[in-house]
């Protein structure tokens, strides 16, 4: 449970026992007294009107959800919880916001090193780190957006993504008590009230779906002014009784999708649902992974390439989201892709084992989601990719999946790739790699290095840093004799 909340916290409850409710909501904005007067006042008529229009798109009184929300002003590093969501700058080695600086100040050297090694948190995304010497088990970092009046919709969707991704990670790690700092920072110029609307709306909608997964969510604020904004807007999304329905009359007609995602006029909410769906059929069409792709000639390759690039952000975002929400443990056991030390220049190495690629029993979207979950942290800086083609013959699924990964991933996957070392490649694979780099991913051209023996690869990545499966060592020994261990 959250501690240190007994005196400073502002809890909310639905109106049941009048005396108890008055004590718990004393610090919140005053609410009208419930009277048994047969004569209806103007306020009561407004309440009735608000209750009549309170359809499924508005927010109902829910005491169970209200009890889970708290506000607290103080040091975010001093409050005990299972998880903490904190705003950060995208480049984690730069100067951080005040709440993040408090966590770094009170955390251990190990935690500070983990932040340094994480290097980057993409705007709108969230990453999770372990916490030591802090009264918190997990730290969830998320980078809020910069506000620009010309791109309001983009800023709203990005801020929503921060909260949604943070809640998804908290649920994946079975975090039941969660503290949330200010994700909208002053230096990013996000209007405070607009940001609070998104925070409360997303929280309310998420709890409506997963209220049984959280015991307490506490917004940790830095000043009484911040607290005032949250208290003012709290009844809009967490009404405590029917009299609070009148606040919802001030909300716009469109108050977001089923998870609180912003929806502009004319935007189909079905698109938002499809974006978070797990339909492998639609993804396969987007990825367009077919064996005939290499042999087909397109009349207009430039327009086709632009169309593929336009799909990349949506597909990558969807795959990244799936990597956090779906159970990929069976694919991980295949050990088809994993981190393995550093090369001789200190660049991290990611290993792909072609023979271990999952069978056709797994869909493309699950396999690619797992690959992205492993590779995404490494691609924020220069990295090497070692591909073992040992024991693979003829056209194979592993080549198609690697090609799909590079085609539908951000540019940093290609630009930060220092080298792709390929071992024991067949003639077919060499031809496919050449054609792929020439026709589709030119950024990788010139970075592929073919090796026929492990001894050659060990000149680039020492054997102490490279985890090589036993069957590859055995195969290389048959071809070349004694192999460095």
């Amino acid at each position: 449970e959250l501690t240190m909340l007994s005196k400073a916290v502002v809890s909310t409850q639905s109106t049941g026992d009048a005396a108890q409710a008055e004590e718990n909501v004393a610090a919140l904005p005053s609410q009208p007294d419930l009277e048994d007067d047969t004569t209806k006042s103007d306020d009561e008529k407004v309440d009735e009107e608000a209750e009549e229009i309170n359809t499924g798109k508005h927010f109902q009184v829910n005491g169970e959800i209200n009890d889970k929300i708290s506000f607290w002003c103080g040091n975010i590093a001093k409050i005990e919880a299972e998880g903490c969501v904190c705003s950060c700058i995208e480049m984690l080695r730069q100067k951080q916001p005040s709440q993040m600086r408090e966590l770094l100040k009170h955390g251990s050297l190990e935690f500070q090193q983990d932040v340094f090694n994480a290097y980057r948190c993409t705007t709108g995304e969230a990453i999770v780190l372990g916490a030591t010497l802090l009264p918190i088990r997990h730290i969830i970092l998320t980078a809020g957006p910069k506000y620009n009046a010309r791109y309001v919709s983009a800023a709203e969707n990005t801020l929503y993504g921060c909260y949604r991704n943070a809640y998804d990670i908290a649920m994946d790690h079975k975090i039941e008590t969660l503290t949330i700092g200010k994700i909208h920072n002053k230096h990013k110029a996000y209007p405070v009230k607009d940001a609070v609307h998104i925070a409360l709306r997303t929280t309310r909608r998420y709890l409506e779906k997963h209220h049984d997964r959280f015991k307490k969510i506490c917004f940790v604020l830095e000043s009484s002014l911040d607290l005032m904004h949250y208290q003012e807007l709290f009844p809009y999304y967490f009404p405590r009784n029917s009299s609070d329905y009148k606040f919802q009359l001030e909300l716009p007609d469109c108050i977001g999708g089923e998870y609180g995602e912003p929806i502009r006029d004319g935007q189909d909410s079905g698109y938002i649902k499809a974006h978070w769906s797990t339909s492998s059929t639609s993804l396969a069409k987007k990825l367009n992974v077919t064996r005939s792709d290499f042999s087909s000639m397109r009349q207009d390759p430039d327009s086709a390439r632009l169309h593929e690039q336009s799909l990349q952000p949506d597909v990558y975002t969807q795959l990244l989201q799936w990597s956090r929400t779906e159970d990929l443990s069976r694919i991980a056991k295949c050990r088809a892709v994993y981190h393995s030390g550093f090369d001789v220049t200190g660049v991290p190495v990611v290993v792909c084992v072609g023979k271990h690629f999952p069978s056709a029993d797994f869909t493309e979207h699950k396999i690619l989601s797992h690959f992205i979950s492993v590779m995404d942290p490494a691609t924020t800086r220069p990295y090497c990719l070692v591909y073992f083609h040992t024991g693979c013959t003829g056209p194979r699924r592993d080549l198609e999946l690697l090609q799909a990964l590079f085609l539908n991933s951000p540019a940093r996957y290609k630009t930060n790739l220092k080298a792709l070392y390929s071992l024991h490649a067949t003639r077919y694979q060499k031809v496919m790699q050449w054609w792929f780099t020439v026709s589709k991913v030119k950024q990788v051209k010139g970075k592929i290095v073919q090796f026929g023996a492990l001894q050659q690869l060990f000149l680039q990545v020492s054997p102490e840093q490279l985890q090589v499966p036993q069957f590859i060592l055995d195969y290389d020994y048959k071809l070349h004799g004694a192999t460095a261990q």
Side-chain angles (χ1 to χ4, degrees):
E1 295 183 357
L2 297 173
T3 57
M4 300 180 63
L5 297 179
S6 56
K7 296 184 178 180
V9 74
V10 180
S11 293
T12 64
Q13 291 184 346
S14 59
T15 358
D17 186 342
Q20 183 180 1
E22 182 180 357
E23 179 182 356
N24 288 332
V25 299
L28 289 172
S30 59
Q31 54 182 339
D33 295 331
L34 302 178
E35 299 177 357
D36 296 328
D37 191 353
T38 55
T39 305
K40 295 183 179 179
S41 65
D42 292 338
D43 288 342
E44 290 174 328
K45 292 179 181 179
V46 172
D47 294 342
E48 286 187 357
E49 181 183 357
E51 189 168 2
E52 288 177 3
I53 69 163
N54 190 63
T55 60
K57 68 177 183 179
H58 282 76
F59 305 93
Q60 306 287 341
V61 173
N62 190 319
E64 182 182 0
I65 290 179
N66 289 353
D67 288 343
K68 297 178 185 293
I69 304 299
S70 301
F71 306 122
W72 190 69
C73 289
N75 190 333
I76 196 170
K78 297 292 187 179
I79 185 168
E80 182 177 347
E82 293 179 359
C84 171
V85 179
C86 186
S87 176
C88 64
I89 303 298
E90 185 169 342
M91 304 307 293
L92 295 175
R93 298 181 184 181
Q94 296 179 355
K95 184 178 180 180
Q96 297 296 319
S98 57
Q99 289 187 328
M100 181 62 180
R101 292 201 300 270
E102 287 298 326
L103 291 177
L104 290 170
K105 176 182 176 182
H106 293 88
S108 65
L109 291 176
E110 181 183 356
F111 170 65
Q112 296 172 12
Q113 187 64 41
D114 287 344
V115 173
F116 185 83
N117 292 337
Y119 187 73
R120 181 177 181 178
C121 177
T122 306
T123 301
E125 299 296 335
I127 61 175
V128 61
L129 301 173
T132 51
L133 294 185
L134 289 168
I136 307 163
R137 203 171 62 191
H138 298 286
I139 303 291
I140 302 172
L141 302 182
T142 184
K146 289 184 179 179
Y147 185 84
N148 188 324
R150 295 174 59 188
Y151 307 105
V152 175
S153 180
E156 290 178 347
N157 281 283
T158 304
L159 186 59
Y160 159 78
C162 291
Y163 285 101
R164 174 69 189 273
N165 290 324
Y167 284 136
D168 285 345
I169 289 178
M171 201 164 66
D172 290 344
H173 287 77
K174 297 179 173 55
I175 296 173
E176 295 183 336
T177 54
L178 184 68
T179 59
I180 303 178
K182 281 179 58 179
I183 297 179
H184 55 282
N185 292 312
K186 194 178 296 184
H187 69 280
K188 293 193 175 182
Y190 208 109
V192 177
K193 282 197 172 183
D194 292 350
V196 175
H197 271 292
I198 292 176
L200 293 177
R201 182 179 69 223
T202 306
T203 302
R204 169 62 193 239
R205 289 304 193 200
Y206 205 90
L207 286 177
E208 287 176 351
K209 301 285 185 182
H210 307 289
H211 62 90
D212 58 326
R213 303 295 294 273
F214 296 94
K215 291 181 179 178
K216 180 71 72 175
I217 295 177
C218 177
F219 290 91
V220 181
L221 310 172
E222 296 179 292
S223 67
S224 57
L225 182 61
D226 294 331
L227 178 61
M228 181 188 71
H229 290 307
Y230 275 86
Q231 288 179 341
E232 178 184 351
L233 298 179
F234 183 84
Y236 288 63
Y237 302 98
F238 297 86
R240 295 152 294 181
N241 49 54
S242 59
S243 63
D244 279 348
Y245 284 151
K246 64 176 178 290
F247 294 108
Q248 299 186 27
L249 294 172
E250 302 177 24
L251 292 174
D253 293 335
C254 181
I255 54 173
E258 61 175 333
Y259 272 95
E261 61 272 18
I263 298 178
R264 289 286 175 179
D265 294 338
Q267 183 180 6
D268 184 8
S269 62
Y271 168 79
I272 302 295
K273 294 179 183 179
H275 178 73
W276 296 98
S277 70
T278 56
S279 171
S280 59
T281 304
S282 61
L283 180 64
K285 293 180 179 178
K286 286 184 179 181
L287 294 177
N288 194 24
V289 182
T290 61
R291 288 191 174 92
S292 62
D293 191 47
F294 288 105
S295 57
S296 62
M297 298 297 292
R298 299 176 180 175
Q299 295 180 351
D300 189 0
D302 291 334
S303 63
R305 190 177 296 110
L306 290 174
H307 177 65
E308 288 175 354
Q309 291 175 353
S310 68
L311 288 177
Q312 290 176 12
D314 287 341
V315 174
Y316 169 74
T317 302
Q318 195 172 29
L319 290 170
L320 189 63
Q321 178 62 29
W322 283 338
S323 72
R324 295 168 177 167
T325 57
E326 295 199 9
D327 182 11
L328 305 175
S329 56
R330 288 181 60 203
I331 298 178
K333 290 179 181 178
C334 295
R335 291 281 289 173
V337 57
Y338 52 88
H339 295 275
S340 181
F342 301 87
D343 71 356
V344 293
T345 64
V347 171
V349 174
V350 178
V351 174
C352 291
V353 183
K355 194 174 181 179
H356 287 175
F357 271 56
S359 63
D361 297 337
F362 298 96
T363 58
E364 282 89 352
H365 90 266
K366 283 196 172 184
I367 299 173
L368 291 174
S369 295
H370 171 64
F371 285 5
I372 284 180
S373 69
V374 175
M375 293 185 61
D376 204 64
T379 60
T380 58
R381 51 181 173 172
Y383 72 102
C384 290
L385 186 63
V386 174
Y387 174 71
F388 292 123
H389 195 66
T390 312
C392 302
T393 57
R396 287 187 54 82
R397 195 185 190 197
D398 51 341
L399 294 177
E400 297 171 2
L401 291 169
L402 285 177
Q403 291 160 8
L405 176 66
F406 278 107
L407 282 173
N408 297 280
S409 58
R412 57 185 167 87
Y413 275 66
K414 282 80 75 174
T415 56
N416 286 343
L417 179 64
K418 176 189 172 186
L420 195 163
Y421 300 126
S422 179
L423 182 70
H424 299 154
T426 61
R427 182 177 299 178
Y428 172 83
Q429 191 218 11
K430 291 178 182 178
V431 172
M432 290 299 97
Q433 286 179 349
W434 172 81
W435 178 255
F436 178 66
T437 57
V438 169
S439 63
K440 293 196 172 185
V441 186
K442 295 183 178 180
Q443 300 98 316
V444 181
K445 184 181 179 182
K447 296 182 179 181
I448 298 180
V449 182
Q450 302 283 356
F451 292 132
L454 272 172
Q455 287 284 11
Q456 298 170 333
L457 177 59
F458 288 158
L459 296 176
Q460 304 299 326
V461 185
S462 66
E464 293 81 10
Q465 293 289 327
L466 192 61
Q467 300 177 30
V468 183
Q470 186 61 43
F471 78 92
I472 296 177
L473 294 172
D474 296 340
Y475 179 84
D476 194 84
Y477 181 82
K478 290 180 181 179
L479 289 180
H480 307 288
T483 303
Q485 300 298 321

